[in-house]
Every structure is written in structure tokens, then in C-alpha cells.
């Protein structure tokens, strides 16, 4: 059975792998086109900027910068390290070996998404809102894939890096789903919640437009799907 058709509990219908990939990616591409092409990105940022008094008042606030940005990143690293320690501990227990391959998958997939986002940021050359003249910066607004004026240096804001620390855990949908489909959906909800908190916090700071976060989620989902195809067992899920 294909690796992505492994989310099954008590004979429940299996999810088609093509829908798991192209459904979310198609929705993300449409959303990015609307947000950037129709100006929804700037409209939303305009509202946040106005609410903060015509400046990014929350750029260095305790909640957004210290708690969500700095400590959120540290907690993300701690969660990954705890998962790695769990994997080592379970490898010594023959009765828990059903967990080993899903954990191996999660250790790889939760890194693959954020690393891909980081690599893409170095190529897209998109500015953060706080860099733009519209929001008190010095750079003109340039959409994705449009030529960039000389002398402004490379942009480093698309896709959103910090949000990818949360959206990287979208891999829980496949990793936990390999054991129990319901766990997969719970993991998906947790990852979306963390990604939204990270992403919205950065938008409030002026660090990203909404389309940057949508792109980050899409990249992390793509990498989670690819890793699932390569690493998860081609057999029905085990009831843990």
C-alpha cells in the first residue's frame, strides 16, 4: 500500500495521496496569488500598522519578540530534542518498536520543512513589511518574482522563517497518523495552532505579510508529504 495511504483506523476509508498533496498546495498557491496580486497582503498589514499607531509598536514587545519569537524558537528546539531522546529510549524496548519508524520520520520531516524554507528565503529576495517605505522603511514594495531594484540588497522574508518552526510539525499528521488516524488529526491541529501563533505574532511585529506564512505552511506540508512517501511503512497503520 502506498506510504501516504496509511491513515486507517478500524477499516476507515483511506485518504488519497494525490489529494493530500495537491489539495493543500493548490489552495496555498491560490491564496498567495490573491494576497499578493490583489493587494490583500498590504491591506491587512495596513490595518495592523494603523492599529499600532502608524508604527510597528509590537516589534520589540515582550509577548511578540521575547515570548513567541525567542522562547518559541527555543521550545521548538527542545521539543525536537525530546523527540530524539524518546526515539533512543524506545529503541531499547522491543514492545515499542512500532513507534520507531514514525519517530525517525518525524525527526527528519520536522527539520526538512524549516530547512527548505530557509533555503528558499535566500533565493526569493522579498522584503519584510518593516523594510518598506509604506511602513516607515526605505525599500519599495516588490512582489514575488518581480525584478528587484539595484542597491537595496537581498530580501530574506519569503517564506516566513519563524512560522516554519511551527508549521514544520505538520509532519505530525503523517507520523502520528501512521499509528492512529485520530492522532494524526490531533497532531495536525496542534501544528496549525502553533504555526498560526508564530505567524500572527510576526505579522504584528511587521516581520511578514500573511502570504509569507501561507507559503511557509505550504513548503512544510510538501516536505512532510515527500518524507512520508520515502520513510513511512507501506502497510496498514498499527493500532498503538
Amino acid at each position: 500500500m502506498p506510504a501516504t495511504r496509511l491513515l486507517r483506523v478500524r477499516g476507515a476509508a483511506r485518504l488519497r495521496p494525490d489529494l493530500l498533496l495537491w489539495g493543500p498546495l493548490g489552495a496555498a498557491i491560490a491564496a498567495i496569488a490573491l494576497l499578493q496580486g490583489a493587494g490583500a497582503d498590504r491591506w491587512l498589514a495596513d490595518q495592523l500598522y494603523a492599529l499600532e499607531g502608524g508604527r510597528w509598536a509590537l516589534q520589540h514587545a515582550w509577548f511578540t519578540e521575547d515570548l513567541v519569537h525567542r522562547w518559541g524558537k527555543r521550545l521548538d528546539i527542545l521539543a525536537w530534542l525530546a523527540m530524539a531522546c524518546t526515539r533512543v529510549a524506545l529503541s531499547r524496548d522491543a514492545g515499542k518498536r512500532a513507534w520507531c519508524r514514525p519517530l525517525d520520520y518525524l525527526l527528519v520531516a520536522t527539520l526538512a520543512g524549516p530547512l527548505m524554507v530557509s533555503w528558499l528565503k535566500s533565493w526569493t529576495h522579498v522584503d519584510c513589511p518593516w523594510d518598506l517605505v509604506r511602513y516607515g522603511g526605505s525599500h519599495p514594495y516588490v512582489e514575488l518574482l518581480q525584478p528587484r531594484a539595484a542597491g537595496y540588497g537581498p530580501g530574506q522574508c519569503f517564506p516566513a522563517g519563524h512560522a516554519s518552526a511551527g508549521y514544520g510539525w505538520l509532519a505530525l499528521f503523517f507520523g502520528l497518523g501512521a499509528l492512529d488516524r485520530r492522532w494524526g488529526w490531533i497532531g495536525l491541529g496542534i501544528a496549525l495552532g502553533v504555526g498560526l501563533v508564530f505567524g500572527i505574532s510576526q505579522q504584528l511585529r511587521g516581520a511578514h505579510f500573511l502570504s509569507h506564512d501561507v507559503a511557509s505552511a505550504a513548503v512544510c506540508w510538501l516536505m512532510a508529504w515527500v518524507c512520508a512517501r520515502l520513510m513511512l511503512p507501506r502497510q496498514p497503520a498499527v493500532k498503538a
Side-chain angles (χ1 to χ4, degrees), residues 7-14 179-182 236-240:
L7 304 183
R8 185 176 73 175
V9 177
R10 298 175 184 174
R14 293 186 291 271
L179 297 165
D180 189 308
R181 184 180 179 183
R182 291 168 296 183
V238 177
K239 182 71 173 180

Side-chain angles (χ1 to χ4, degrees), residues 154-167:
Q156 293 286 323
C157 294
F158 184 92
H162 187 59
S164 71
Y167 288 127

Side-chain angles (χ1 to χ4, degrees), residues 131-239:
D131 294 323
L132 302 178
V133 173
R134 188 185 189 104
Y135 306 111
S138 59
H139 295 188
Y141 176 77
V142 179
E143 290 185 8
L144 180 66
L145 303 180
Q146 286 187 339
R148 186 175 178 83
Y152 288 107
Q156 293 286 323
C157 294
F158 184 92
H162 187 59
S164 71
Y167 288 127
W169 294 94
L170 289 171
L172 289 171
F173 177 73
F174 299 102
L176 294 183
L179 297 165
D180 189 308
R181 184 180 179 183
R182 291 168 296 183
W183 292 1
W185 287 108
I186 292 172
L188 178 65
I190 292 172
L192 288 173
V194 176
L196 284 170
V197 169
F198 284 7
I200 292 172
S201 174
Q202 288 294 84
Q203 290 177 52
L204 291 172
R205 297 182 66 222
H208 290 291
F209 288 114
L210 177 56
S211 65
H212 301 183
D213 294 331
V214 174
S216 181
V219 170
C220 289
W221 181 260
L222 171 62
M223 298 308 298
W225 186 91
V226 170
C227 290
R229 293 283 289 177
L230 296 174
M231 297 183 65
L232 289 178
R234 296 175 179 268
Q235 60 188 27
V238 177
K239 182 71 173 180

Side-chain angles (χ1 to χ4, degrees), residues 74-135:
R74 292 171 182 172
L75 287 174
D76 177 70
I77 294 171
L78 287 175
W80 191 92
L81 291 174
M83 186 167 59
C85 292
T86 301
R87 171 62 179 89
V88 172
L90 291 180
S91 66
R92 302 173 182 176
D93 187 342
K96 299 293 179 63
R97 285 179 182 170
W99 286 84
C100 291
R101 190 173 293 185
L103 281 173
D104 288 339
Y105 160 77
L106 286 171
L107 288 170
V108 173
T110 53
L111 286 180
L115 288 175
M116 178 59 72
V117 165
S118 180
W119 180 77
L120 288 172
K121 285 172 62 175
S122 67
W123 287 92
T124 54
H125 300 314
V126 173
D127 288 311
C128 303
W130 59 34
D131 294 323
L132 302 178
V133 173
R134 188 185 189 104
Y135 306 111

